[in-house]
Amino acid sequence: MFEALRCRAFFFDKIGDMNTQDISHIRNFSIVAHIDHGKSTISDRILELTHTVEERDMTSQLLDTMDIERERGITIKSNAVRVMYTADDGDTYQFNLIDTPGHVDFTYEVSRSLAACEGAVLVVDATQGVEAQTVSNASLAMNANLDIVPVINKIDLPSAHPEEVKVEIEDDLAIPADDAVCVSGKTGEGIHDLLEAIVFLISPPQGDSDAPLKALILDSYFDEYRGVVATVRIFDGSIRKGDQLRMMQADADFLVDGVGVKRPAETMVDALTVGEVGFVVTGLKDPEAVRVGDTLTYRDRPCPEPLPGYREAKPMVYTGIFPIDNKDYENLRDALEKLHVNDPSLTWSPETSVALGFGFRVGFLGLLHMEVVKERLEREFDLDLIATSPSVDYHVYKTDGTMIDVRSPQDLPDVTRIDHIEEPYLTAKIIVPPEYTGAVMQLAIEHRAVMSDMVHLSQKSVEMHFDMPLAELILDFFDQLKSRTKGYASLDYEFADYRPSDLVKLDILLSGDEVDALSFIVHKDKAYGLARGLCDKLKEIIPRQLFEVPIQGAIGNKIIARSTVKARRKDVLAKCYGGDISRKRKLLEKQKEGKKRMKAIGSVEVPQEAFLAILKVED
């Protein structure tokens, strides 16, 4: 199978100058796939087969270092590890393997990883076939001009159909699948063939070790003792401890405290040379000092121009995050700054709420990203937090001709000053079996989506394209999609543009007072249903007072929904054993007058647990 590939490898060994010859045994590649297609399991088998990790130290999802990754069974952060592999030709090769996330929210992690590689291992599930994120990842790799090694995983399962999947890879992705490697990440079958394919199908890196340093910062994290530690890919030159380096975009200098690689434990080395991937200990104590995507070069002998880096990630979803105890406000700010070091897509700005106090309006790539960041803040920094309902970035055009970005309902101007509002739209790609196309179209109509195209990829899959508002996607669209298609549908999406929409601000009033944390920007046609649901939910949750509490949903000055929490009545007749009815009536009238006075000066306290439950009412 690999005779033609060995000829190609021989060709690579012979081309170029001496520097190219020195790095001809390096292979840099990312493992990419749709979510739950087995990337991390294949990575485990590679580490096991190459004896990078001793058998007694092996655990599942070894490269997933966070507890939340192991609990959810997903990869959130890319992880680069060095593997040494002795091939069948007798030569030893250095593999720099990068395991990447599969969920659409973390596509920016994949793009960062591909910027460091010459090749991509594209994993496809033998039981599921090509799915939406498979197509997206293949496009990213092709646009980056990478060598692609198709891999069909889970061939050990009874329902596997690898030959059909090969046809899908060729028809849907336009990638030759004759030499696609069939593997089982669970049993280890075919992993040896995969390593041989990586050697002979993926090109070695190119570069000049004598040229001025040119290195791309792929990732970074903050260490309490060593400062910021940056993961880098060397394109030219080399880095050693004691070098004076400059970050070209940040225009800042630092002294290298040390360099190393992950195997997967951190191992210090004498130098990182051209073509290699490793980490640099900067010693910088400011988490904002190192920017992911920046170019490192020598301070005294800089390279002519910085590397192009990779496409920047733009937040899609915004939510307010508030500490339950206001004393933790500064701690929350510090925690966000430290998370931003290795998650450049995270943005935030201060926000104040009458109901919740001081907090931050934080931007995320999607709902999963939001859940993960909130949980990391609570676990890693010991914070108790409240997250308000998510919103998106609206373009509001005012009557005076100006345009403002509105990411929070509280920032929306008065309706008399608004000319029109534009909301972000997505191009959504859904791959689904043909029998579920009707259910998907019905779901799309309910979420204001418009189908633009439908392509029959094969007898077992249909690719449907929709234009839909981002605000509809972040509610319950994905959950309902999986429910209505029995889990067979896969979803991928990307930002399209901004389009005018008939949007209104929905306010919730308690006893006539607006609760700012419960305001929403919604489409006018959906405002009544959402208001009705919120009022009914509040009625169940808010404890009864000694006076009636009206709960109202309002658009401007117009009330569109109402529920009432009935008053808790004190038994003033408990001591009346018989007697004339007029005495009882007198006591009841007296109680009624007292409740009127109480209502005039009374205020409603919404308990903490009630507020958290209210935030779950999204539709």
Side-chain angles (χ1 to χ4, degrees):
M1 170 181 174
F2 294 109
E3 287 305 319
L5 306 182
R6 293 183 191 279
C7 295
R8 182 181 176 187
F10 179 81
F11 172 75
F12 280 133
D13 284 344
K14 297 302 179 184
I15 62 173
D17 57 13
M18 184 60 67
N19 290 322
T20 305
Q21 178 68 32
D22 293 339
I23 62 177
S24 62
H25 284 57
I26 298 177
R27 300 291 183 271
N28 299 319
F29 64 94
S30 290
I31 302 180
V32 296
H34 188 84
I35 189 170
D36 200 32
H37 277 204
K39 300 177 301 299
S40 297
T41 310
I42 290 177
S43 299
D44 289 345
R45 298 291 77 77
I46 291 176
L47 295 177
E48 194 174 51
L49 183 64
T50 57
H51 304 290
T52 304
V53 178
E54 294 297 332
E55 186 175 349
R56 64 176 181 272
D57 297 326
M58 277 299 302
T59 59
S60 61
Q61 293 180 261
L62 188 66
L63 297 184
D64 294 339
T65 56
M66 290 186 286
D67 291 339
I68 186 173
E69 290 180 310
R70 296 176 180 273
E71 291 171 8
R72 294 188 177 219
I74 59 175
T75 300
I76 296 169
K77 292 293 298 176
S78 297
N79 204 343
V81 61
R82 177 176 292 187
V83 173
M84 304 305 295
Y85 172 64
T86 302
D88 290 348
D89 61 6
D91 290 338
T92 299
Y93 293 84
Q94 178 193 121
F95 288 172
N96 291 306
L97 178 159
I98 305 180
D99 184 25
T100 62
H103 195 277
V104 63
D105 280 8
F106 302 107
T107 302
Y108 78 106
E109 286 279 350
V110 179
S111 68
R112 284 160 52 178
S113 302
L114 295 179
C117 301
E118 284 75 37
V121 173
L122 181 66
V123 181
V124 183
D125 192 323
T127 64
Q128 301 292 332
V130 172
E131 300 199 61
Q133 202 62 22
T134 313
V135 179
S136 176
N137 288 331
S139 298
L140 286 174
M142 291 176 182
N143 292 336
N145 295 318
L146 301 186
D147 299 321
I148 300 177
V149 180
V151 175
I152 301 174
N153 190 26
K154 303 184 183 181
I155 60 172
D156 58 301
L157 296 180
S159 57
H161 41 87
E163 295 304 321
E164 295 180 18
V165 173
K166 286 184 180 181
V167 175
E168 289 186 25
I169 291 174
E170 293 189 347
D171 293 346
D172 301 350
L173 306 179
I175 297 174
D178 292 339
D179 293 330
V181 186
C182 296
V183 306
S184 169
K186 182 178 180 180
T187 65
E189 180 184 355
I191 298 298
H192 173 76
D193 290 340
L194 171 59
L195 295 175
E196 290 294 309
I198 291 171
V199 169
F200 300 116
L201 285 178
I202 295 180
S203 308
Q206 306 292 314
D208 185 356
S209 59
D210 296 325
L213 174 66
K214 184 183 290 186
L216 179 66
I217 300 177
L218 305 170
D219 199 359
S220 62
Y221 66 92
F222 185 80
D223 186 280
E224 293 288 346
Y225 303 101
R226 300 181 296 174
V228 179
V229 180
T231 302
V232 300
R233 156 70 197 273
I234 312 294
F235 287 90
D236 286 317
S238 61
I239 302 178
R240 290 175 172 81
K241 181 178 180 180
D243 284 347
Q244 293 277 355
L245 301 186
R246 169 166 296 171
M247 293 176 286
M248 299 187 73
Q249 295 177 8
D251 195 22
D253 302 334
F254 67 91
L255 178 70
V256 177
D257 284 349
V259 295
V261 297
K262 293 183 178 180
R263 295 182 47 82
E266 291 188 351
T267 305
M268 305 307 293
V269 296
D270 294 333
L272 291 176
T273 60
V274 59
E276 294 186 331
V277 177
F279 64 85
V280 177
V281 181
T282 67
L284 299 171
K285 300 302 181 183
D286 181 9
E288 293 290 330
V290 178
R291 300 175 185 175
V292 175
D294 207 341
T295 300
L296 291 181
T297 190
Y298 297 129
R299 185 189 66 179
D300 300 327
R301 191 164 63 105
C303 60
E305 57 185 14
L307 291 162
Y310 55 90
R311 68 179 183 87
E312 291 292 331
K314 180 181 179 182
M316 305 283 280
V317 177
Y318 295 86
T319 190
I321 293 184
F322 298 84
I324 291 177
D325 188 345
N326 286 330
K327 296 178 182 178
D328 289 332
Y329 176 77
E330 291 298 330
N331 295 334
L332 177 57
R333 180 194 295 274
D334 294 340
L336 287 170
E337 289 178 351
K338 290 177 180 178
L339 280 188
H340 181 68
V341 174
N342 65 352
D343 192 349
S345 65
L346 202 64
T347 62
W348 71 91
S349 59
E351 184 177 52
T352 304
S353 167
V354 176
L356 302 176
F358 294 99
F360 297 92
R361 174 62 53 166
V362 187
F364 304 97
L365 297 174
L367 286 184
L368 179 62
H369 188 211
M370 181 185 79
E371 293 176 16
V372 167
V373 169
K374 180 176 179 291
E375 194 160 345
R376 288 187 66 187
L377 288 170
E378 292 176 333
R379 289 189 182 194
E380 298 176 20
F381 301 96
D382 196 23
L383 297 170
D384 292 323
L385 305 174
I386 292 177
T388 63
S389 296
S391 65
V392 300
D393 186 3
Y394 296 98
H395 287 175
V396 178
Y397 291 83
K398 301 167 70 174
T399 52
D400 60 3
T402 60
M403 189 274 286
I404 60 174
D405 285 324
V406 173
R407 298 169 180 173
S408 171
Q410 287 76 36
D411 298 333
L412 195 67
D414 186 80
V415 65
T416 57
R417 299 168 53 199
I418 297 175
D419 181 70
H420 68 279
I421 303 175
E422 292 183 348
E423 63 177 331
Y425 266 71
L426 303 171
T427 300
K429 180 194 304 174
I430 298 174
I431 297 180
V432 66
E435 59 266 30
Y436 297 109
T437 54
V440 173
M441 292 177 68
Q442 178 63 32
L443 178 64
I445 292 172
E446 294 173 2
H447 286 76
R448 297 193 287 131
V450 178
M451 189 172 73
S452 58
D453 190 18
M454 182 168 68
V455 180
H456 288 268
L457 301 176
S458 65
Q459 293 182 351
K460 294 185 176 181
S461 62
V462 175
E463 183 175 295
M464 307 173 72
H465 297 144
F466 293 93
D467 293 332
M468 68 179 303
L470 173 60
E472 295 290 335
L473 184 87
I474 67 173
L475 290 179
D476 62 344
F477 182 83
F478 186 71
D479 291 339
Q480 288 204 32
L481 177 65
K482 287 295 184 181
S483 176
R484 298 192 187 190
T485 62
K486 299 183 179 179
Y488 284 107
S490 60
L491 170 69
D492 184 33
Y493 57 84
E494 59 182 17
F495 173 75
D497 53 17
Y498 276 82
R499 302 179 188 178
S501 293
D502 191 3
L503 302 173
V504 294
K505 180 186 177 186
L506 173 63
D507 295 315
I508 300 297
L509 312 178
L510 295 181
S511 293
D513 296 327
E514 179 184 330
V515 182
D516 58 352
L518 294 178
S519 296
F520 301 86
I521 299 177
V522 297
H523 193 270
K524 189 174 182 180
D525 294 342
K526 291 200 166 189
Y528 173 76
L530 182 59
R532 180 78 270 160
L534 279 172
C535 290
D536 291 342
K537 188 68 175 179
L538 277 168
K539 179 181 177 181
E540 299 173 4
I541 294 172
I542 292 180
R544 296 172 68 182
Q545 314 290 321
L546 290 176
F547 50 88
E548 286 189 352
V549 179
I551 306 167
Q552 299 167 308
I555 299 176
N557 295 324
K558 182 181 179 181
I559 305 298
I560 62 173
R562 171 177 172 142
S563 291
T564 303
V565 179
K566 295 297 184 181
R568 179 162 55 89
R569 175 182 173 185
K570 180 180 178 181
D571 191 0
V572 295
L573 305 180
K575 296 182 180 180
C576 293
Y577 302 103
D580 188 77
I581 188 64
S582 60
R583 184 184 175 200
K584 295 181 180 180
R585 188 175 291 114
K586 182 179 179 181
L587 290 172
L588 292 173
E589 291 294 331
K590 185 177 180 181
Q591 182 188 48
K592 186 176 180 180
E593 292 296 324
K595 284 188 176 182
K596 286 183 179 179
R597 292 194 301 270
M598 187 182 297
K599 187 174 182 179
I601 62 174
S603 61
V604 182
E605 290 189 5
V606 181
Q608 177 78 28
E609 58 274 12
F611 184 78
L612 294 173
I614 293 167
L615 295 178
K616 297 177 183 178
V617 181
E618 294 174 339
D619 200 356

